[in-house]
Amino acid sequence: MKSVPKKVETIDTTLSPNSGTATVDKQEVSLSRPSKLTPAECAVIVGMDILEKAGRLTTPREIADLLMEDVQTVRNILERLKKKGLVVSSLTFGMTGLARMGSLSRKPSGREKVYRLVDNIENIIDEHNELLEWALVTLGVKGKDKLLEYIKARAEEIARQQEEGKESQG
């Protein structure tokens, strides 16, 4: 990640037409820099990517089930991630037809929100290396490549469990 100063001093010079004098104002301007992710936000981001790769809905309920967390807690974290510009949401209206085709694990209600990462996980990791710190401490996974392997393996495991569940029901 690039080292960017949080504040920059700017100088505004104004020339007064009547007196011929100049005034100089100094002010500090904050630069836009991605804010640091909390451990809970890191968990939700990784959980969302796992569910997406497994072909599952990324609703707060599905994410909460995966993370074994409270649904309202996950909703709050998703709203913070939306404000940080890392996720977008949309209603699932019209997706029940997709669920009938078998591409989704369950039928979503029309009022349920689905969340998506705005960028691929590789770019998010590059921008927020606190994800790697979280992965090391929480998952025991060291490095970007190992984290991506972990996500892929978990997604395949979830997809396999979903298929086995369908076979046992039908």
Side-chain angles (χ1 to χ4, degrees):
M1 186 185 301
K2 296 178 184 174
S3 178
V4 179
K6 289 186 178 181
K7 293 187 178 184
V8 172
E9 201 172 84
T10 62
I11 300 174
D12 183 27
T13 308
T14 310
L15 181 61
S16 174
N18 295 342
S19 65
T21 60
T23 58
V24 177
D25 291 329
K26 287 184 180 180
Q27 62 183 6
E28 286 186 309
V29 178
S30 293
L31 292 179
S32 175
R33 182 179 182 181
S35 57
K36 193 168 181 161
L37 297 174
T38 66
E41 291 167 341
C42 292
V44 168
I45 287 171
V46 170
M48 287 177 66
D49 198 53
I50 289 169
L51 289 172
E52 283 180 12
K53 286 182 169 71
R56 301 280 296 265
L57 287 175
T58 51
T59 63
R61 184 180 313 147
E62 291 283 331
I63 298 166
D65 287 348
L66 176 68
L67 300 175
M68 293 184 265
E69 280 293 335
D70 177 62
V71 176
Q72 189 57 50
T73 301
V74 171
R75 281 191 190 108
N76 294 341
I77 293 166
L78 288 166
E79 287 305 312
R80 287 199 317 253
L81 290 170
K82 258 177 83 170
K83 288 178 183 172
K84 291 181 177 186
L86 292 172
V87 300
V88 293
S89 67
S90 62
L91 292 175
T92 59
F93 179 79
M95 291 182 75
T96 54
L98 294 173
R100 271 183 264 134
M101 293 182 342
S103 62
L104 299 175
S105 59
R106 65 178 180 82
K107 289 183 182 181
S109 78
R111 293 174 29 183
E112 226 173 346
K113 282 187 179 179
V114 174
Y115 290 80
R116 299 267 183 240
L117 296 172
V118 296
D119 205 350
N120 65 39
I121 192 73
E122 292 88 353
N123 293 340
I124 294 173
I125 292 170
D126 289 342
E127 193 171 319
H128 295 277
N129 53 342
E130 58 266 27
L131 271 164
L132 294 176
E133 296 166 13
W134 171 84
L136 178 61
V137 171
T138 307
L139 305 173
V141 175
K142 187 175 184 177
K144 180 179 175 180
D145 292 335
K146 294 290 185 187
L147 177 56
L148 295 174
E149 287 175 21
Y150 172 85
I151 290 169
K152 183 180 177 188
R154 285 286 289 138
E156 289 171 353
E157 178 186 330
I158 290 169
R160 195 170 35 254
Q161 289 172 350
Q162 184 177 326
E163 284 302 313
E164 289 170 2
K166 284 182 184 179
E167 289 172 5
S168 67
Q169 290 176 358

